[in-house]
Amino acid sequence: MPTTAVEAKIAPSMLSSDFANLASEAERMVSFGADWLHMDIMIIDTVDFYLWHFVPNLTIGAPVIASLRKHTKAYLDCHLMVTNPLDYVDQLGKAGASGFTFHVEVSKDNWQEVVKEIKLKGMRPGVALKPGTPIEDVYPLLEGENPVEMVLVMTVEPGFGGQKFIPDMMNKVRTLREKYPKLDIEVDGGLGPSTIDEAAAAGANCIVAGSSVFGDPEPARVISLLRTSVNKCLKPNFI
Ligand code: DX5
Ligand code: ZN
């Protein structure tokens, strides 16, 4: 397990940014105090000659990450909502992604290979789970020689920004935090000033926030509020 201290990481979700001005939006968020930039990658994959998608939406892929990387040194926290993450490890590594988080629902058979490849390409591996997936499903990925370094607990159904936070997901966060005091636990979906205290109290330390940050006239104030709430809950025993 990771031994470094658990820190607050505030990650504005660029899904809510103006994609036509991605570089300046990224720069703006970093200047407002963002630690990470959350990049939602949704693509149609080919599986056994059929076209599939993991979520009913399309966003960006490796070419956009590569373009953005030319304009920022920020940590690019990539969330892969795809059916076959292994297909994208190489290209995202080359594009300059920092974190590579794949979904456990599509990786039960090959997660070990996926994690190994992610590390080989110089990225940090994370695993995500949908609201309907039990927390126990990620336990195997946190044990053994090659564990993931972050768990992303989805607090909405993946696919779109601007949805309502599902409070029941906090049971998963609490269970995970009790079992893994030093793990990076990320929450994604519906996070903002009205939901952050609940997520922070449950033990989340990496906070993705799209519409609440980009939709506010003072994004810097929202980022700072999210950070303060997480810092208040980081117990000394997490460090
Ligand atoms: C949804 C994405 C989220 C989304 C969050 O599938 O994973 O990252 O951008 O947006 P908000 O914060 O608006 O719920
Ligand atoms: Zn996301």
Side-chain angles (χ1 to χ4, degrees), residues 136-224:
E136 291 75 18
D137 286 15
V138 304
Y139 291 168
L141 286 74
L142 289 160
E143 306 295 341
E145 275 174 33
N146 234 359
V148 293
E149 295 174 27
M150 182 175 84
V151 175
L152 190 177
V153 176
M154 285 305 303
T155 43
V156 298
E157 284 299 336
F160 300 90
Q163 303 181 75
K164 205 171 169 298
F165 177 80
I166 308 172
D168 278 1
M169 296 303 114
M170 293 307 99
N171 291 331
K172 293 186 194 176
V173 175
R174 252 187 306 276
T175 307
L176 207 53
R177 178 54 77 211
E178 273 166 29
K179 201 166 152 66
Y180 300 100
K182 292 185 174 173
L183 178 69
D184 271 340
I185 303 179
E186 185 169 64
V187 281
D188 182 8
L191 271 306
S194 61
T195 49
I196 185 61
D197 288 346
E198 205 177 340
N205 67 300
C206 304
I207 312 298
V208 177
S211 42
S212 68
V213 168
F214 284 92
D216 195 280
E218 291 179 69
R221 188 189 58 85
V222 179
I223 291 173
S224 148

